[in-house]
Structures are given as C-alpha cells and as structure tokens.
Amino acid sequence: MNESKHFSKDHVAPLLAGLVAGAASTVALYPLDLVKVRLQVNEGHLTDTAHRRKGRLNSWQVFRIVLRHEGIYGLYQGLVPAVFGSAISWGGYFFLYEGMKSTYGQYKNSPNIGDP
C-alpha cells in the first residue's frame, strides 16, 4: 500500500480518537450539563408545585423533575448539536496536537544549518 507522506494512519488515529472521545464524553455527561443549564437559567426556581414550598432546588431535584415531566428523552434535548461540536473540537485538537508534536520532534532532531 502506497501511503502519502502527509496522510497516513499516524495522522488519522489522533483525529478519530478525538472524535470518538468527544462524542462519548458528551453523551455520557449531557444530562448533568442539562441540569446545570436548567439551574442557571431558572436560578434554582422551577414551577414544580411539589418543590415550590421548599425554595431553591438542588441538582438532584431538577434531575427528577425533568425525568418526571419530560422522560428520559428530556435529559438529552439538544444532544445532537452538542455531540457534533464536541467531536469536531476534540478531533481537531488531538489532530493538531499530534501533528505539531511530530513536527517539533522532527525539527528538534534535525541538524542545524549553521553547524559544521
């Protein structure tokens, strides 16, 4: 197999690793992010009658309210754009980091022009 110098498995592996890692971490942690945003937007006050008397809500209470009123799908509202954004940003980060690291390593190990 004749691979190009600029496009090899060594260059694609970090990109794929970043894409998968970004997507996986977003899917795993998205419900926590949703609860955090709900608390920030509503400043801890929701219109749920059972919790209205107790004052401010904590994260666990918001999580349960979302599950009760919106179901499991409610915890993942807006997931698709977040997965795309995270996967692309982490994929690009890993790709650029590894590319710059290998370029610096080649530059560091090459003989200097002015050396005898």
Side-chain angles (χ1 to χ4, degrees):
M1 204 183 247
N2 189 6
E3 290 185 14
S4 171
K5 179 182 177 185
H6 298 288
F7 191 73
S8 67
K9 285 189 248 180
D10 295 337
H11 292 84
V12 175
L15 176 66
L16 291 177
L19 288 170
V20 171
S25 66
T26 301
V27 169
L29 298 174
Y30 195 77
L32 296 176
D33 194 44
L34 181 115
V35 167
K36 176 196 71 154
V37 169
R38 294 271 177 107
L39 284 168
Q40 289 173 334
V41 168
N42 295 314
E43 295 181 6
H45 298 288
L46 292 180
T47 58
D48 188 65
T49 55
H51 294 94
R52 203 180 296 173
R53 290 171 268 136
K54 296 179 184 177
R56 290 179 116 30
L57 299 174
N58 63 34
S59 299
W60 180 247
Q61 290 168 329
V62 172
F63 184 82
R64 289 189 348 223
I65 290 170
V66 170
L67 273 179
R68 184 178 334 122
H69 293 290
E70 301 172 38
I72 191 76
Y73 295 112
L75 293 173
Y76 289 95
Q77 287 181 347
L79 177 68
V80 174
V83 167
F84 277 118
S86 180
I88 290 170
S89 65
W90 281 109
Y93 174 80
F94 278 37
F95 178 76
L96 291 173
Y97 176 79
E98 289 296 325
M100 293 172 76
K101 190 169 78 169
S102 67
T103 301
Y104 176 72
Q106 291 170 357
Y107 172 75
K108 186 177 175 184
N109 295 331
S110 66
N112 293 331
I113 296 173
D115 288 345

